[in-house]
Amino acid sequence: MTEPKRSRTFTLHVEYSLFLVHDEEDYDSQPPEGIGMAYLPVARGVVYVASTVQEHETKAQVHMWAGVPPKRAEGELLGQVTLFSKSGRISVHSMMGGPEGQSLELEGPGLYGVRVYRFGGGPAARVRRDEAVRRIGDGEDIEMPTDLESYVIDMWRRPTDTSAARPARQERRP
């Protein structure tokens, strides 16, 4: 795979089994009804990414590509969507917000393809998290695991047409 034009790793706190990939200035912070694990729901300027663990710290690597990147052989493809960015910058953080000024410059305002891959997670990650919560609750001096899941998010500019002002839309999974 060729190299991305730009990349950034975001460290974030997953809350309510979700985190956001969103336009830096213009997005809808209310998740759509019926949000689920099997797809990437989208709303105005935001993609809601579902985690298999309710609450934990994770990392998301975001890569901006010059064109459509090939699909990754590794990781679980959660889906592919189209996102409209009004500002030309995206941020990745928890449902309740994140540190200001942590963003990735895209190629300006417009439509972007977004593919999200998850690494790890699932029942084994939930068991490890629950065990850590139990041990901390019992007074043990341990750290919450930060390697339960991680994500790679590939983005690329899509051709702009007259529908660019519309909210993001869900694409069928390949």
Side-chain angles (χ1 to χ4, degrees):
M1 186 181 289
T2 61
E3 294 296 314
K5 293 175 82 171
R6 280 183 282 300
S7 296
R8 178 156 193 177
T9 299
F10 294 86
T11 300
L12 59 128
H13 188 81
V14 172
E15 296 170 314
Y16 309 107
S17 298
L18 296 171
F19 69 89
L20 312 176
V21 178
H22 68 84
D23 182 68
E24 185 73 1
E25 294 176 6
D26 185 35
Y27 69 97
D28 181 356
S29 63
Q30 295 300 311
E33 290 293 320
I35 195 165
M37 303 291 269
Y39 65 100
L40 297 174
V42 292
R44 187 187 79 236
V46 65
V47 177
Y48 294 87
V49 180
S51 168
T52 62
V53 182
Q54 184 174 5
E55 189 170 330
H56 65 104
E57 298 293 320
T58 193
K59 292 193 183 303
Q61 294 177 356
V62 182
H63 304 290
M64 179 63 209
W65 296 87
V68 179
K71 291 186 179 167
R72 295 175 180 273
E74 69 283 355
E76 175 189 0
L77 176 62
L78 297 182
Q80 178 175 314
V81 294
T82 298
L83 173 70
F84 178 71
S85 175
K86 182 177 179 180
S87 69
R89 292 181 313 279
I90 59 104
S91 185
V92 179
H93 61 69
S94 73
M95 291 293 293
M96 302 308 282
E100 293 295 319
Q102 289 192 17
S103 62
L104 178 69
E105 290 288 329
L106 302 175
E107 300 293 313
L111 290 174
Y112 290 87
V114 180
R115 267 192 217 129
V116 179
Y117 297 86
R118 179 174 41 229
F119 296 81
R126 286 192 298 274
V127 167
R128 285 184 56 223
R129 184 212 173 269
D130 292 348
E131 176 63 14
V133 167
R134 184 194 62 75
R135 290 175 63 193
I136 291 168
D138 288 346
E140 288 188 49
D141 187 20
I142 65 166
E143 296 290 322
M144 180 64 76
T146 59
D147 63 344
L148 300 174
E149 295 178 326
S150 63
Y151 296 83
V152 172
I153 302 165
D154 289 326
M155 298 185 70
W156 63 96
R157 189 170 192 114
R158 304 271 315 243
T160 304
D161 59 23
T162 56
S163 65
R166 294 184 311 193
R169 66 181 186 279
Q170 178 75 34
E171 295 177 4
R172 292 183 358 169
R173 285 186 72 172

